[in-house]
Amino acid sequence: SKMTVKAVKMPCTSANVYTKVPDGGWGWTVAFAFFVVEALTYGIIKSFGVFFNDLMESFDETNSRISWIVSICVFVQTFTAPLSTVLSNRFGHRLVVMAGGLLVSSGMVIASFARSVVDMYVTIGIVSGLGYCLSFLPTVTILSQYFDKRRSLVTAVASTGECFAVFSFAPAITALKEQIGWRYSMLSVGVLQLGITACGSLLRPIVIREQEEVKAQPPEESTETKYMLENEQTCTSIESIDSGVDITTSPSNVPGKTKAEPKSEEPKHHGQNPVENNSTPPEPKSKLLDFSVMRDYSFICYAFFGLFATLGFFAPSLYIIPLSRSLGIGKDHSAYILSAMAIAEVFGRIFAGWVLNKKPIRKIYIELICVVLLSVALVAFPFASGFWGLMICSVYFGFMLGTVAGTHIPLLAEDDVVGIERMSSAAGVYVFIQSLAGLAGPPLAGVLVDTTKNYSSAFYSCAAGMVLGALFLALVRPCKTGLCHHQQQQQQQVEESTAGPPPELPDDFIDMDIGKAENSGKGSDSV
């Protein structure tokens, strides 16, 4: 009888166990949770520009000092990414995201009672910033584990949550401020962000266990069965029919690389069904944070790409409304420009996911093209004049931003960067490296605006960072296939020469051992 290990359906509080990546199932619920988390994290951060003028008037502060609120928030969010990875690996994604939602909501609610910009630095910058990190990164990581073939498309579509948030929150908060003021509007946003905690409760862990098929042994003991049991430690068998031992010639079965199973002190009973002893081996303990990715040159280049590209992610969303106001555009029309940018970003994310889902395709090159076009969009802003000129630039920028922002973290799961096995640790290190740009980007743009008295300088600084990011992104693939591969080959050759060739066994050693066993049996009978 043939027994197959099937997918196990677990209770709501337990892990989902599959024999392979489901590419759906409970993953659709996780995708919805990620959509809402995106809306309540990055969507709120990008919509924070609607509070800028109110904060400047209430606290009598400059652009650069108000910009530090978002800068500290983004810095804390990215700087604590390794902490998010460690906590997720230790306590699970669900608890970490739920705790992050509580921090995000608490920081925003307390900020509505702030009396100085320093209070905003602590509440929104540190408290909410830490909550954003604990909420966003574990969600996108576990979503990537639920999908394989559809990963790029599903992640891109789910990440449109922040775009819909900017599209709806910017006009809504603007209208709400006119009715109840900016403080109660900020308080309402903080209460709304409690939804992150509810989304965190939907993040069931996922376990992938390869499907195993075994064939029951006959009750009588034959010569072949006897030999197979005696030679279990050598990983060889007479037949390749599910005996529980591989006889493939893959490197995992080469002598010296075979993982010997621990010997059991209990005696083995011949003819026993191997299914009964085929208990699931204990899973190896994974590292809480694997910094070995820092030895991968392709990942280093990709991390520098994220470092410089972050300069162009937040500043345009923060300064598009002040720029429109400086051009004589009213408050309502300025909010419409930000909303149009968000809608265009939705289409950009979906388009990027659709393109990257095509096979065969080198995804890293598609990302490079999108980054170059995004740099062009940033340069175009200073040349815009009037409402429609700024609207066209915003739509173009939003579309290209969607192609990059929705894919740069999921691309870590591709083999061109680190692969799905090391994505959890790589994402923590990658976002951690982005923290410097998240801290320096908006204040740098604010200093340039205060110095030049022109909002165009903020977009030039973003464009310069994006161009540098494109240069490092162009080096990712060559490092993976060229320089690093050559060094790995040299290191492997040195190891092989040091270890020496593996001992060779005669092709007929199985038959020889069986023959000896039969001859000894006949000799004992004759005696």
Side-chain angles (χ1 to χ4, degrees), residues 466-488:
M466 195 64 65
V467 170
L468 288 175
L471 294 177
F472 281 102
L473 183 61
L475 296 175
V476 173
R477 177 65 182 170
C479 285
K480 196 68 173 182
T481 59
L483 299 175
C484 296
H485 186 66
H486 180 67
Q487 291 182 358
Q488 290 176 357

Side-chain angles (χ1 to χ4, degrees), residues 433-464:
I433 294 175
Q434 284 184 288
S435 62
L436 296 178
L439 177 67
L444 175 61
V447 170
L448 293 176
V449 170
D450 293 336
T451 302
T452 61
K453 307 299 181 182
N454 190 347
Y455 286 100
S456 300
S457 57
F459 293 90
Y460 283 132
S461 65
C462 295

Side-chain angles (χ1 to χ4, degrees), residues 236-467:
T236 59
S237 63
I238 300 298
E239 297 177 352
S240 60
I241 302 176
D242 288 327
S243 59
V245 187
D246 293 334
I247 62 169
T248 59
T249 57
S250 61
S252 61
N253 292 327
V254 175
K257 294 186 178 182
T258 302
K259 295 181 180 179
E261 299 178 355
K263 296 181 179 180
S264 176
E265 296 180 358
E266 298 179 359
K268 296 183 179 180
H269 301 282
H270 298 299
Q272 185 179 3
N273 192 336
V275 177
E276 299 176 1
N277 286 336
N278 189 19
S279 59
T280 304
E283 297 181 359
K285 294 183 179 180
S286 58
K287 296 180 180 179
L288 294 180
L289 187 61
D290 186 7
F291 278 101
S292 64
V293 294
M294 295 300 296
R295 296 195 296 267
D296 193 333
Y297 293 140
S298 60
F299 172 77
I300 293 176
C301 291
Y302 197 82
F304 275 108
F305 149 69
L307 175 69
F308 290 107
T310 304
L311 294 174
F313 283 168
F314 295 100
S317 299
L318 295 176
Y319 284 99
I320 187 64
I321 290 181
L323 176 63
S324 62
R325 296 296 302 277
S326 67
L327 296 177
I329 302 174
K331 292 183 179 180
D332 295 337
H333 288 79
S334 299
Y336 292 150
I337 292 175
L338 187 61
S339 298
M341 179 189 297
I343 290 297
E345 187 175 345
V346 171
F347 289 100
R349 288 173 182 263
I350 296 176
F351 175 78
W354 176 76
V355 171
L356 295 179
N357 201 50
K358 298 292 182 180
K359 291 184 179 182
I361 191 172
R362 186 63 64 184
K363 298 180 181 181
I364 201 73
Y365 292 150
I366 301 298
E367 185 82 355
L368 177 60
I369 295 174
C370 294
V371 172
V372 173
L373 295 177
L374 181 59
S375 303
V376 175
L378 289 169
V379 175
F381 270 104
F383 298 96
S385 60
F387 173 78
W388 288 109
L390 199 58
M391 175 68 77
I392 293 174
C393 290
S394 298
V395 170
Y396 175 55
F397 170 80
F399 183 86
M400 298 314 305
L401 178 64
T403 60
V404 177
T407 57
H408 70 110
I409 292 181
L411 276 181
L412 290 169
E414 300 300 322
D415 292 334
D416 283 339
V417 189
V418 295
I420 187 63
E421 293 81 7
R422 296 190 294 170
M423 181 190 174
S424 179
S425 295
V429 178
Y430 172 75
V431 178
F432 169 78
I433 294 175
Q434 284 184 288
S435 62
L436 296 178
L439 177 67
L444 175 61
V447 170
L448 293 176
V449 170
D450 293 336
T451 302
T452 61
K453 307 299 181 182
N454 190 347
Y455 286 100
S456 300
S457 57
F459 293 90
Y460 283 132
S461 65
C462 295
M466 195 64 65
V467 170

